[in-house]
Amino acid sequence: MTVSSVSLASLDLDPAFALHRGGKLEVRSTIPVRDADDLSLAYTPGVARVCTAIADTPELINDYTWVSNVVAVVSDGTAVLGLGDIGPGAAMPVMEGKALLFKEFGKVDAVPICLDCTDVDAIVETVVRLAPSFGGINLEDISAPRCFEVERRLRERLDIPVFHDDQHGTAIVVLAALRNAARLAGRSLGDLRAVVAGAGASGVAVTRILLGAGIGDIAVSDSKGIVYAGRGGLNDVKEALARDTNRSGLTGSTEQALSGADVFIGLSGSTVPEAAIASMAPGAMVFALSNPTPEVEPSVAARYARVVATGRSDHPNQINNVLAFPGVFRGALDVRATTITENMKLAAASALAAVVGDDVSETYVIPSPFDARVAPAVSAAVARQAREDGVARR
């Protein structure tokens, strides 16, 4: 389909197209240029003095440019929302939207960058070369398992925060919601047995953060069933999961593993039958997070589970990454952190859970993205933890 074959006027009848016409972002100056004096300070010759100072003392770039407050939102367009590999051009509306959310919720400037390459080496080298222009890198919609390698290598080579939101944003919000669901039930995370359906980016990250938070036991499934030590055909990421999870030694299907389980977390796009949810322990917690179609219909899950969460905005307890990434980056940038540690993610989850406070209920285990308390609480916790972990530069 080409522009000549499509009536833009007819597309604009759809409010989504009308809103996106011309893009959702623009660059604005922070200072006025009213006369020759302003011009001589903002540009030549005044700018040369600033350039020389930065050349002599490179750290001054953080004080005299926008670098310390700007994040690159980087994607190769291979795993965009539920649309899959649609390419860098088609990914741009999502990356623009992500940049908009950074600004609206965290007062962080962000630039969408869609790369016309999918090779891990090419992505890493490109981002490393772009990095001097940014205070942080937010990786977005890069398919697994490549996303793990891209993030790992960038973290090794850069001294600024690198954060794959599909992994860690999801994980932070899930942990926060699960903390409150467990508190509502009068239980600790260590009491719970969880099953995670999906061993992609978000499934692995959720599993890892729950392990770090002290979950009692957790098993992960992929399209071939439960991941366990000795199962054939596992990649390096799943081999590591097999070593660190599934203390009960479960094998077989997701449905079998759910029998007697306390927690189900769906991140797979699959369907879980009602009977499997019915077989879970009394007072179960069901986080059916595939979007737009949850693994189990929320009304069905609610027949058996005490707490039901989804990724949708039209149901209670929406697990939405915008609750995490603006505050995480705001806090990291504020202290000019060199990285985002596991403890910083755990601190973000605890702060997010605490926003709910004594108002916790079956339909309120996680705050709304529009709760003005969220980003400040998360950013303060992240900044504080960065200092405790020794990765803050101010």
Side-chain angles (χ1 to χ4, degrees):
M1 185 168 60
T2 64
V3 173
S4 61
S5 66
V6 176
S7 167
L8 296 182
S10 66
L11 289 178
D12 284 348
L13 294 175
D14 181 332
F17 280 89
L19 182 144
H20 285 77
R21 174 69 85 94
K24 302 187 291 294
L25 302 173
E26 66 179 4
V27 176
R28 295 186 179 186
S29 61
T30 60
I31 54 95
V33 181
R34 298 160 297 197
D35 51 35
D37 288 340
D38 287 344
L39 182 59
S40 69
L41 290 174
Y43 201 55
T44 187
V47 71
R49 300 199 296 275
V50 181
C51 293
T52 302
I54 293 172
D56 292 339
T57 309
E59 294 79 11
L60 291 178
I61 192 173
N62 294 301
D63 298 289
Y64 294 103
T65 75
W66 77 335
V67 163
S68 65
N69 191 56
V70 66
V71 170
V73 179
V74 179
S75 180
D76 65 356
T78 55
V80 181
L81 300 177
L83 305 174
D85 185 354
I86 60 175
M92 182 55 82
V94 178
M95 302 313 123
E96 282 188 357
K98 197 76 171 198
L100 181 153
L101 296 178
F102 265 111
K103 188 66 172 180
E104 290 294 321
F105 291 97
K107 297 181 175 59
V108 173
D109 291 310
V111 177
I113 298 175
C114 293
L115 302 179
D116 190 15
C117 58
T118 59
D119 176 73
V120 169
D121 289 340
I123 294 172
V124 170
E125 290 303 321
T126 301
V127 175
V128 167
R129 283 162 172 73
L130 290 170
S133 297
F134 299 98
I137 306 294
N138 183 88
L139 301 173
E140 191 77 20
D141 292 349
I142 299 173
S143 64
R146 295 175 311 114
C147 61
F148 303 114
E149 181 72 3
V150 169
E151 184 188 40
R152 181 186 66 79
R153 288 169 57 179
L154 287 174
R155 284 169 58 90
E156 289 175 352
R157 294 185 60 178
L158 299 178
D159 65 349
I160 57 175
V162 177
F163 185 85
H164 185 204
D165 184 53
D166 299 325
Q167 294 185 60
H168 309 301
T170 304
I172 289 166
V173 183
V174 166
L175 174 57
L178 189 58
R179 282 194 184 283
N180 280 332
R183 180 164 64 93
L184 183 66
R187 305 180 68 181
S188 70
L189 292 180
D191 295 331
L192 304 178
R193 179 170 75 83
V195 176
V196 176
S202 55
V204 171
V206 165
T207 300
R208 288 292 175 194
I209 202 169
L210 291 180
L211 287 169
I215 193 79
D217 194 10
I218 189 167
V220 184
S221 67
D222 60 11
S223 60
K224 297 180 181 178
I226 296 297
V227 173
Y228 59 89
R231 201 191 91 178
L234 299 179
N235 60 30
D236 291 345
V237 173
K238 293 179 184 179
E239 287 278 8
L241 277 182
R243 291 192 298 269
D244 298 336
T245 63
N246 195 12
R247 293 205 311 256
S248 302
L250 299 173
T251 60
S253 67
T254 305
E255 291 78 10
Q256 290 171 315
L258 283 174
S259 179
D262 303 294
V263 180
F264 169 67
I265 301 172
L267 294 157
S268 65
S270 61
T271 299
V272 175
E274 180 176 351
I277 301 299
S279 74
M280 294 178 68
M285 306 158 205
V286 173
F287 288 20
L289 304 183
S290 290
N291 215 356
T293 305
E295 286 80 0
V296 57
E297 175 62 34
S299 62
V300 172
R303 296 172 190 165
Y304 311 99
R306 181 167 184 180
V307 174
V308 178
T310 73
R312 296 175 57 113
S313 60
D314 55 349
H315 291 282
N317 299 324
Q318 185 193 17
I319 305 300
N320 190 328
N321 288 17
V322 77
L323 290 163
F325 68 82
V328 169
F329 270 98
R330 180 71 275 155
L333 293 173
D334 284 346
V335 297
R336 295 180 189 165
T338 58
T339 189
I340 294 173
T341 67
E342 294 304 310
N343 285 337
M344 289 161 72
K345 298 171 199 172
L346 291 171
S350 295
L352 181 56
V355 171
V356 171
D358 294 336
D359 295 325
V360 65
S361 70
E362 284 79 2
T363 57
Y364 184 54
V365 296
I366 198 74
S368 162
F370 298 101
D371 189 325
R373 299 172 295 171
V374 168
V378 171
S379 64
V382 168
R384 183 168 54 250
Q385 190 64 52
R387 291 190 175 101
E388 291 181 12
D389 288 352
V391 298
R393 285 179 284 203
R394 74 171 185 184

